Amino acid sequence: MAAGLAVCAAAALLDGCRGQRTQAPQRLQVGVACYNQSDTFISELTDSFREQLGGEEYKELAPTVTLKDAAGLQRTQDDQVKELIDEGCNVLCVNLVDRTDPSEIIELARESGVPIIFFNREPVNEDMMQWSGLYYVGADAEQSGVMQGELAADAIKADSRIDRNKDGKIQYVVLEGEAGHQDAILRTEKVADTLKKEGVELEKLGSGVANWNRAQAENRMTQMIGQYQNQIELVLANNDAMALGAIDAYEKLNITKATFPIFLGIDGTDEGLKAVEDSKMAGTVYNDKEGQAAAMAELAAALASGEGMDEIAFENERCIYLPYAKITKENVDAFR
Ligand code: GAL
Ligand code: CA
């Protein structure tokens, strides 16, 4: 019965009857499939999503959220999506393991008429075009790289001691997120471009992939310190967890603070904000998890109830991108 209603609501919606309620609003049963719940940013994002759906505004829909963790395996996630549909979810929120491989999930959802809100790991456009019941909520990756570059340039211009060997260039390393992830690719590219545009002369010493993960970043950083000794003046990490892993490496090697490079992250996770506040990180870029969670909640509610779709500002018809923001010690309080 519930599944039948879900199909009807979704079908009515997709037929273009947006905003017109043809029946009493049904319950909102959201199935959330995460690529890896041990990812700090993702777990903070899904916590915020649950919390916001529990708010007064959605009370009428009596929302429930069932969360499944694929722990990094696409096959597992495909099975979990099937389970979520079988359990009667009428909206799916999917954080793909492999963003280039959503076909199986799209097929399952389309067959049962359950719309999907992809989030954080963006499918390619070709896949988004496979069905009109597919949506995406995320952020503009390019902007985060630009902002990180601006933060780094500001710090370097404000403090001549950062160029420790006084050669007029900044020796740097990059800690990268997963290979093939839209955020890792664009952040890595844009941060260096922006620093150059800002007139900072750069010398890239090396880089390491650490898959968004603090422990892996500590390992990579320890290796790079072994290789480049005290030459590293700047560490650009694709996210806060990896910037913190890099700091862990320096701290565990008992390197004197005066020869630390500066560290920049992205996300503004709880521990990232703390590191900015404590001046361990020179800055970070806010990846607006509250805004993304709010957009997901609003969209999920609209999809289930058939109401409010008109009020949502989509880009490219079915995508929502939240803006990033720069964070330094000066404004960090506003993000806590
Ligand atoms: C990024 C975020 C990373 C990681 C990744 C997972 O947007 O900055 O910390 O969570 O998503 O897909
Ligand atoms: Ca230098």
Side-chain angles (χ1 to χ4, degrees):
M1 174 72 179
L5 285 174
V7 174
C8 294
L13 198 66
L14 299 170
D15 282 337
C17 306
R18 298 182 175 187
Q20 278 172 305
R21 191 200 286 178
T22 49
Q23 62 205 37
Q26 59 167 335
R27 293 193 51 189
L28 170 56
Q29 272 182 271
V30 191
V32 181
C34 286
Y35 94 100
N36 199 335
Q37 201 51 25
S38 70
D39 179 303
T40 313
F41 174 76
I42 295 298
S43 73
E44 289 182 11
L45 169 62
T46 50
D47 283 352
S48 174
F49 178 66
R50 267 184 205 278
E51 192 185 308
Q52 297 194 52
L53 266 187
E56 198 58 34
E57 4 158 24
Y58 299 115
K59 218 171 165 184
E60 206 193 347
L61 296 171
T64 57
V65 177
T66 310
L67 192 138
K68 303 223 186 236
D69 176 10
L73 295 171
Q74 189 56 62
R75 287 280 299 279
T76 305
Q77 186 167 65
D78 295 348
D79 294 343
Q80 289 175 335
V81 165
K82 188 165 187 321
E83 284 162 29
L84 289 167
I85 294 172
D86 292 343
E87 285 162 21
C89 290
N90 51 9
V91 178
L92 293 166
C93 292
V94 179
N95 178 222
L96 287 164
V97 176
D98 180 352
R99 61 182 279 259
T100 65
D101 189 17
S103 296
E104 172 116 15
I105 287 174
I106 293 174
E107 200 42 49
L108 286 167
R110 185 176 29 199
E111 273 168 16
S112 46
V114 181
I116 303 180
I117 304 170
F118 290 109
F119 66 100
N120 171 265
R121 301 162 73 90
E122 189 169 7
V124 297
N125 196 43
E126 213 170 82
D127 287 323
M128 287 298 290
M129 300 316 284
Q130 282 194 47
W131 182 41
S132 59
L134 307 177
Y135 298 83
Y136 178 69
V137 174
D140 173 10
E142 190 171 318
Q143 186 189 38
S144 57
V146 170
M147 286 183 169
Q148 190 182 48
E150 289 170 355
L151 285 169
D154 289 349
I156 290 161
K157 288 175 191 171
D159 186 353
S160 60
R161 289 171 306 179
I162 293 170
D163 177 15
R164 283 199 320 274
N165 67 350
K166 306 274 174 254
D167 67 347
K169 290 185 217 154
I170 299 298
Q171 280 70 27
Y172 77 104
V173 300
V174 182
L175 287 165
E176 296 178 21
E178 292 163 270
H181 192 300
Q182 81 275 349
D183 292 344
I185 298 165
L186 286 163
R187 288 172 184 172
T188 301
E189 182 187 318
K190 290 294 155 190
V191 68
D193 284 359
T194 305
L195 273 158
K196 283 176 210 150
K197 249 186 224 149
E198 293 277 334
V200 176
E201 266 212 67
L202 292 175
E203 184 186 345
K204 186 170 186 170
L205 297 175
S207 67
V209 172
N211 299 309
W212 312 117
N213 181 279
R214 183 166 179 160
Q216 287 184 37
E218 184 189 328
N219 275 328
R220 294 286 96 78
M221 195 68 232
T222 305
Q223 286 165 0
M224 289 196 281
I225 296 169
Q227 216 170 336
Y228 307 110
Q229 305 289 325
N230 61 357
Q231 289 176 60
I232 305 166
E233 297 170 338
L234 167 67
V235 176
L236 297 170
N238 283 171
N239 77 344
D240 285 354
M242 296 190 293
L244 291 161
I247 297 170
D248 292 341
Y250 275 88
E251 288 179 345
K252 288 193 190 157
L253 290 169
N254 273 324
I255 293 170
T256 45
K257 281 263 154 59
T259 60
F260 271 34
I262 62 163
F263 304 88
L264 285 117
I266 293 177
D267 276 345
T269 55
D270 294 341
E271 52 191 16
L273 295 176
K274 173 98 184 19
V276 173
E277 194 173 277
D278 296 346
S279 304
K280 288 189 171 189
M281 249 160 60
T284 188
V285 177
Y286 203 58
N287 192 355
D288 185 0
K289 55 185 181 296
E290 282 79 21
Q292 291 163 35
M296 287 162 63
E298 190 185 358
L299 180 52
L303 286 167
S305 68
E307 284 191 334
M309 212 57 181
D310 297 340
E311 281 129 60
I312 300 176
F314 291 107
E315 279 176 60
N316 304 333
E317 287 180 49
R318 286 180 272 115
C319 301
I320 302 172
Y321 298 96
L322 276 290
Y324 284 94
K326 290 190 255 187
I327 306 179
T328 61
K329 202 176 165 111
E330 274 70 62
N331 67 347
V332 65
D333 281 350
F335 293 87
R336 307 211 72 180

